[in-house]
Amino acid sequence: MTQRLNYPQQAPELFKKFAQFSTQLADSSLGKTLHDLVQIRASQLNGCAFCLDMHSKEAKIHGERELRLYHLPVWRESPLFDARERAALAWTEALTRLDGHPVADALYEEARAQFDEKELTELTWVIATINAWNRLGVGFQALPGSADKVFGLDKANLS
């Protein structure tokens, strides 16, 4: 695969502002673990190799257990995720796989049982943001691992 174009270079101010917004979200009340899981799951669903690579490495650096990363595609069947993580992953899937139907009230209530209004809003921003990054990565075929040194992801010792 060859990267189609260097989108940060083509629109540097937009990239910088969007990256700053993403960084601000990473420091939300959700915590790094939940933030990482949501970004990885959305990237899996969207087939974004660059983002999946990046956020898996970030999760490892943040202390995430590898087995949980392996179980993420089958989180519903796995005993490794708690109720809050399950609600976040279900919300992530619903908002990533928009199919022209409204999000079910039962799913919203499940999320609200685990997150207060501020947290659910922050979670939704994280989901919206990673979906936008995924579209950039998929559309322009961003190369997995190409930004490891810039972002310090080589510290994950994954290659």
Side-chain angles (χ1 to χ4, degrees):
M1 179 170 75
T2 303
Q3 186 163 322
R4 292 178 171 152
L5 63 83
N6 185 331
Y7 58 91
Q9 190 175 58
Q10 296 306 312
E13 286 303 311
L14 292 174
F15 178 81
K16 181 180 175 184
K17 287 179 189 294
F18 198 50
Q20 288 171 336
F21 181 67
S22 296
T23 301
Q24 185 176 353
L25 283 172
D27 295 328
S28 74
S29 63
L30 299 173
K32 298 233 183 272
T33 297
L34 196 58
H35 191 260
D36 291 336
L37 293 175
V38 165
Q39 290 187 113
I40 293 166
R41 187 64 188 133
S43 298
Q44 289 171 337
L45 295 171
N46 288 322
C48 184
F50 179 87
C51 292
L52 180 57
D53 179 84
M54 171 183 273
H55 299 302
S56 295
K57 290 172 181 172
E58 285 177 336
K60 182 135 190 305
I61 290 168
H62 295 148
E64 184 58 76
R65 294 182 302 154
E66 285 186 51
L67 186 58
R68 283 172 35 101
L69 297 178
Y70 303 149
H71 279 228
L72 201 47
V74 293
W75 64 268
R76 283 183 175 84
E77 291 81 27
S78 175
L80 301 179
F81 302 96
D82 65 26
R84 185 173 168 89
E85 291 166 337
R86 290 175 177 284
L89 292 168
W91 191 247
T92 299
E93 289 185 1
L95 297 181
T96 298
R97 292 178 167 156
L98 296 175
D99 60 1
H101 297 96
V103 174
D105 289 340
L107 182 58
Y108 173 77
E109 292 305 325
E110 178 186 339
R112 281 292 288 128
Q114 296 297 323
F115 299 97
D116 65 29
E117 290 180 353
K118 180 181 185 221
E119 291 169 330
L120 188 56
T121 300
E122 289 176 347
L123 175 61
T124 303
W125 275 113
V126 171
I127 296 165
T129 302
I130 190 57
N131 274 284
W133 283 119
N134 288 167
R135 276 132 185 86
L136 289 163
V138 170
F140 297 127
Q141 295 182 342
L143 300 175
S146 61
D148 281 6
K149 289 191 189 215
V150 172
F151 294 116
L153 300 174
D154 47 344
K155 295 175 191 155
N157 294 320
L158 295 172
S159 52

